[in-house]
């Protein structure tokens, strides 16, 4: 029996050294390397897909942030425009109150100054304009300003810039 076992071991050893068995052994090793390579390729593809998905999420977030930034800028611009409009309206109201309130006093003061000048020059009589009540021409600047029934002046165009106060003549001369 021992002899048969030893012969069997020799046959196996001879069979392992045959080119067919060597090729089969090499094929098994190569198939193992191929499987390992395919596994690594699949892992790389999965990692690439994960990176691509993350990149798309970042791109989407950047677009959302840009949109939010643009909306905030538009809100800030609208708020500034609203504040500018309020300042314009306040300026217009102030200007109207100046024209309505201060204009009559200024005209009366000018007429009084003219009366004093005419008396100083020795003309003895007052000019007919000095004794008449002041007349305000509401059709100034080609009807750009119109008055409503309550005496408020409405500007159809841009608000006129206030003119500097007229200089007073020297009455001491």
């Amino acid at each position: 029996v021992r002899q048969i076992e030893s012969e069997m071991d020799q046959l196996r050893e001879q069979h392992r050294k045959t080119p067919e068995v060597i090729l089969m052994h090499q094929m098994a090793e190569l198939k193992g390397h191929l499987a390992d390579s395919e596994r690594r390729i699949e892992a790389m593809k999965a990692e690439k897909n994960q990176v691509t998905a993350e990149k798309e999420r970042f791109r989407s977030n950047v677009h959302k942030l840009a949109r939010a930034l643009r909306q905030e800028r538009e809100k800030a611009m609208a708020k500034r425009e609203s504040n500018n409009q309020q300042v314009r309206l306040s300026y217009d109201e102030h200007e109207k109150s100046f024209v309505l309130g201060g204009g009559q006093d200024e005209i009366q003061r000018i007429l009084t100054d003219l009366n004093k000048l005419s008396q100083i020059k020795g003309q003895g009589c007052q000019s007919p304009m000095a004794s008449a009540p002041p007349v305000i021409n509401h059709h100034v600047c080609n009807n750009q300003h119109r008055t409503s029934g309550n005496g408020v002046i409405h500007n159809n165009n841009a608000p006129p810039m206030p003119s500097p106060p007229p200089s007073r003549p020297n009455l001491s001369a």
Side-chain angles (χ1 to χ4, degrees):
V1 177
R2 289 189 183 245
Q3 185 181 13
I4 293 177
E5 285 181 9
S6 71
E7 285 179 11
M8 192 64 152
D9 285 339
Q10 285 177 354
L11 280 175
R12 283 185 195 147
E13 196 59 43
Q14 285 175 357
H15 182 61
R16 285 183 196 154
K17 292 184 180 178
T18 61
E20 295 165 349
V21 173
I22 292 174
L23 287 175
M24 285 173 49
H25 182 67
Q26 287 177 348
M27 276 180 47
E29 285 180 9
L30 291 175
K31 283 182 181 180
H33 288 297
L34 178 65
D36 187 45
S37 296
E38 286 176 346
R39 183 186 51 78
R40 283 186 285 161
I41 288 173
E42 289 301 318
M44 289 162 113
K45 283 182 181 179
E47 185 179 345
K48 178 186 171 198
N49 289 340
Q50 183 181 4
V51 167
T52 303
E54 189 174 332
K55 179 181 166 186
E56 287 301 317
R57 280 193 308 271
F58 285 143
R59 180 177 290 157
S60 174
N61 287 339
V62 165
H63 286 296
K64 285 178 185 177
L65 286 173
R67 194 175 322 121
L69 179 63
R70 185 174 50 246
Q71 288 173 350
E72 287 299 318
R73 284 181 180 167
E74 288 172 358
K75 284 180 185 177
M77 185 69 122
K79 186 174 180 179
R80 276 195 302 257
E81 190 62 34
S82 173
N83 288 343
N84 287 346
Q85 185 66 22
Q86 288 177 351
V87 167
R88 281 188 208 108
L89 291 174
S90 172
Y91 175 77
D92 286 345
E93 278 299 316
H94 178 72
E95 185 180 52
K96 286 177 185 177
S97 69
F98 174 76
V99 168
L100 292 177
Q104 293 288 339
D105 294 339
E106 189 68 21
I107 291 172
Q108 191 63 40
R109 185 190 58 77
I110 292 171
L111 288 174
T112 305
D113 288 346
L114 285 174
N115 283 337
K116 288 179 184 176
L117 281 175
S118 65
Q119 288 174 0
I120 290 174
K121 287 186 179 182
Q123 290 183 351
C125 67
Q126 295 182 346
S127 84
M129 288 300 291
S131 62
V135 176
I136 298 175
N137 184 1
H138 293 293
H139 300 287
V140 177
C141 299
N142 298 328
N143 289 329
Q144 288 179 351
H145 295 82
R146 299 179 197 263
T147 58
S148 61
N150 60 4
V152 176
I153 297 176
H154 298 282
N155 187 352
N156 291 341
N157 294 328
M161 296 302 293
S163 58
S167 61
R168 292 184 147 201
N170 188 0
L171 299 177
S172 63

